Amino acid sequence: MKRVCVTGAGGFIGHHLVTFLKERGYWVRGVDLKYPEYTDVDADEFELLDLRRWDAALQATRGVEQVYALAADMGGMGYISTHHAEILHTNSLINLHTIEAARVHGVQRYLYSSSACIYPEYRQTETDVVPLKESDAYPAQPQDAYGWEKLFSELLCSYYAGEHPMETRIVRFHNIYGPYGTYDGGREKAPAALCRKVALAEDGGSIEIWGDGEQTRSFCYIDDCVEGIYRIMQSDVGEPLNLGTDEMVSIKELARVVAEVAGKRDIGLEHVRGPQGVRGRNSDNSLLREVLGWEPTTSLHDGLRPTYQWIEKRLTSGERS
C-alpha cells in the first residue's frame, strides 16, 4: 500500500483528493490547520499542523512516498486582491518548508498545486482571450501576489527536481468548483458565490455581480480536477500542465446557467463595484491532451447542478457556515 501525504487536506480540493486516493487503495495522511468543514475525515491519519513552521513540515512529510502539496492561503478575487502581503508570506513559507522536508525524508514524487493566476496580465486584457498555453507564463507579469508566489514555487519545484533525487509535478488549476467548498464568508469563488445568491433570490428578483459581468473565465468541476491531479502525478511530465476546461463563459453567462439549474425565473443582475481580476482567461488544453490522452469532460451545466443543489440545501436547512 503506497503511503502519501496530502497537505491542505481540510480544504476544498484537498479533502476531495483524499477521498479519491483512499478509494484507490492508498494510505493517506491529511495535513491542514483545520479539519474539513463540510465532510468527515477520510484520511488514515489527519494531523493539525502549521506548515509555516519547519518542524511541522518535517512531521507532515515523514514516512511517505509521495506528497500532494495543496496547502495554501487563498480565496476568490475578493480575498486575493486585498491580502497580498499575507498570501505571499504565508504561502512562501509553506512551500519552502514542505518541499525541503520532503527532500530530507526521501520523498520520491512531489506534486505542487499552482494556478492560472501565474499567467501574465498582458495576455488577459480582452474578454475574447486567446486560450493560455503553458509556455505563455513568461515574460512574467502575474496580476496579484498570489500569482507571483505560485510562479516562484513552480521554479522552486523545477530546481529541486534538477538538483535532488525527487521528481516533481506541477499542475495549474483553472477555477475549480463543486460541492463541499466555501460558499460564503469572503473566500468563496464565483460559481459558489453565484449559487448562493441565486438560491437566496426569489423569482423576479435580482442578484449582485461585480463589474459589468463581461469578464470571462473557464471553470473545472472538482471530480475532473482530482482525477487530473492523480493522472499528472502518475505521468512522466515534470513541466507545468494546465488543468481546466476550455468552455469559456462570461460571468453574466455563468449567472444565467446557475439560474437555469436552479429553476429560477427572471433573475436580474445588479452591477456593483468590486474586484474583477483579469478581463479574460481560458485554458489551452493541447499539451494536457497530448501528454495524458485525457482532459476534463464535465460541462459547466452538469457540474453546476450538484454544486447548486448542495449549496441550496445548506442554506435552506439552516446549516450556513
Side-chain angles (χ1 to χ4, degrees):
M1 183 180 293
K2 186 165 288 186
R3 295 170 64 91
V4 303
C5 172
V6 177
T7 73
F12 169 50
I13 299 175
H15 80 257
H16 278 279
L17 179 61
V18 168
T19 301
F20 182 95
L21 292 170
K22 284 298 300 173
E23 289 172 349
R24 281 150 186 81
Y26 285 77
W27 184 96
V28 182
R29 176 184 298 128
V31 173
D32 209 319
L33 285 172
K34 60 181 179 61
Y35 293 111
E37 187 170 358
Y38 307 114
T39 63
D40 294 331
V41 171
D42 286 341
D44 295 276
E45 290 181 358
F46 197 103
E47 298 187 340
L48 297 177
L49 296 170
D50 185 347
L51 295 174
R52 292 172 296 185
R53 296 174 53 95
W54 170 239
D55 58 341
L58 279 173
Q59 182 176 337
T61 55
R62 72 194 188 281
V64 298
E65 299 166 64
Q66 298 180 347
V67 172
Y68 291 84
L70 275 63
D73 182 15
M74 65 167 302
M77 276 307 304
Y79 182 77
I80 67 174
S81 64
T82 55
H83 293 76
H84 301 291
E86 182 178 353
I87 286 172
L88 188 57
H89 179 261
T90 295
N91 290 350
S92 296
L93 286 175
I94 289 171
N95 295 323
L96 286 164
H97 286 155
T98 305
I99 196 168
E100 173 63 7
R103 183 199 66 79
V104 167
H105 285 304
V107 167
Q108 298 169 3
R109 193 167 290 197
Y110 184 96
L111 181 141
Y112 174 63
S113 57
S114 187
S115 167
C117 291
I118 65 96
Y119 287 111
E121 281 190 273
Y122 58 79
R123 292 190 181 275
Q124 304 173 85
T125 58
E126 305 293 335
T127 57
D128 190 20
V129 66
V130 175
L132 294 161
K133 303 187 299 291
E134 287 82 355
S135 57
D136 290 333
Y138 296 94
Q141 191 189 340
Q143 182 179 49
D144 295 306
Y146 181 74
W148 280 110
E149 172 270 317
K150 290 293 187 184
L151 196 59
F152 161 77
S153 296
E154 286 190 8
L155 289 172
L156 183 69
C157 287
S158 297
Y159 289 135
Y160 263 75
E163 298 173 12
H164 302 292
M166 178 173 66
E167 296 184 43
T168 62
R169 302 291 180 262
I170 300 167
V171 52
R172 292 175 181 164
F173 294 142
H174 284 253
N175 301 304
I176 313 303
Y177 72 98
Y180 306 107
T182 300
Y183 58 91
D184 63 2
R187 290 184 184 247
E188 68 275 18
K189 296 188 176 182
L194 290 174
C195 285
R196 183 194 75 244
K197 292 176 181 182
V198 169
L200 295 173
E202 302 290 340
D203 287 344
S206 64
I207 63 172
E208 291 184 348
I209 61 171
W210 291 343
D212 61 9
E214 299 293 342
Q215 60 270 36
T216 53
R217 297 290 188 276
S218 60
F219 299 93
C220 181
Y221 188 59
I222 185 62
D223 288 359
D224 286 333
C225 175
V226 293
E227 181 170 352
I229 292 171
Y230 182 72
R231 286 172 178 260
I232 290 169
M233 178 64 109
Q234 308 312 312
S235 77
D236 297 325
V237 183
E239 302 302 313
L241 286 173
N242 284 333
L243 181 54
T245 73
D246 55 9
E247 184 185 357
M248 188 173 72
V249 296
S250 69
I251 298 302
K252 287 201 301 188
E253 290 169 330
L254 175 63
R256 178 189 59 78
V257 176
V258 172
E260 180 182 319
V261 164
K264 297 287 182 77
R265 296 186 299 275
D266 302 321
I267 298 296
L269 301 180
E270 182 181 347
H271 301 280
V272 299
R273 296 185 64 179
Q276 300 173 54
V278 295
R279 192 62 173 156
R281 177 185 293 152
N282 195 12
S283 176
D284 185 318
N285 287 352
S286 301
L287 185 58
L288 187 71
R289 287 193 297 267
E290 177 185 338
V291 299
L292 296 186
W294 174 90
E295 66 180 316
T297 58
T298 306
S299 71
L300 183 62
H301 189 280
D302 287 347
L304 280 174
R305 184 175 301 280
T307 306
Y308 176 82
Q309 290 172 345
W310 178 78
I311 292 173
E312 181 188 44
K313 183 179 178 180
R314 294 279 305 178
L315 294 171
T316 55
S317 63
E319 296 179 332
R320 296 182 65 181
S321 61

